[in-house]
Amino acid sequence: MTAAWPPWMPPDGARPQLVPAGEWWDAIRAPILDAPAIARCLPDGTTAIRHEGWFTSIWLVPLGAARGWQLPAEVELVTLGQVVVPAPDTAPPHPAAGPPPVWWTAPPTAPITDSAALRRALDELDTASRHGRSRRAR
């Protein structure tokens, strides 16, 4: 890919890198089991970082955009600490190959998530949880 990636993004073909949250973006971390319900509410093309070893998905949001949000109990705002960021050409694994530890769920043409859309998705997740409806993918 010939895109000009942001300076925090590892180059194509590189190993994942630790990038500090709260410097370029903040991150919203959710359990992998909640990720499909969240993703269904987001615009097409929205991507997340999937961490297989930690069983989490992470959406990057503009700095400060999510501060003050009321998040579902299992969802976390990350403003300090490190996030493992894969290279943009790190695709989901082939089922027979076994998963890499971290990858983008879709090509990261716009790696920063629309914070308003993500907030709506998290509000839906929280409402479903509070009303006893399953949040998990069926």
Side-chain angles (χ1 to χ4, degrees), residues 56-100:
T56 60
S57 288
I58 295 177
W59 288 267
L60 307 179
V61 295
L63 276 173
R67 294 188 184 159
W69 288 4
Q70 295 294 323
L71 296 171
E74 65 276 11
V75 177
E76 175 186 18
L77 170 62
V78 181
T79 59
L80 296 172
Q82 305 281 324
V83 173
V84 178
V85 176
D89 62 349
T90 305
H94 184 279

Side-chain angles (χ1 to χ4, degrees), residues 27-54:
I28 299 289
R29 181 172 26 222
I32 282 178
L33 292 177
D34 288 331
I38 295 168
R40 276 194 302 275
C41 298
L42 294 172
D44 289 343
T46 300
T47 190
I49 298 170
R50 181 158 172 172
H51 289 270
E52 192 66 28
W54 296 330

Side-chain angles (χ1 to χ4, degrees), residues 2 4 6 16 19 36 41 52 55 65 69 83 107 126 134:
T2 59
V19 179
C41 298
E52 192 66 28
F55 304 106
W69 288 4
V83 173
D126 192 42
S134 174

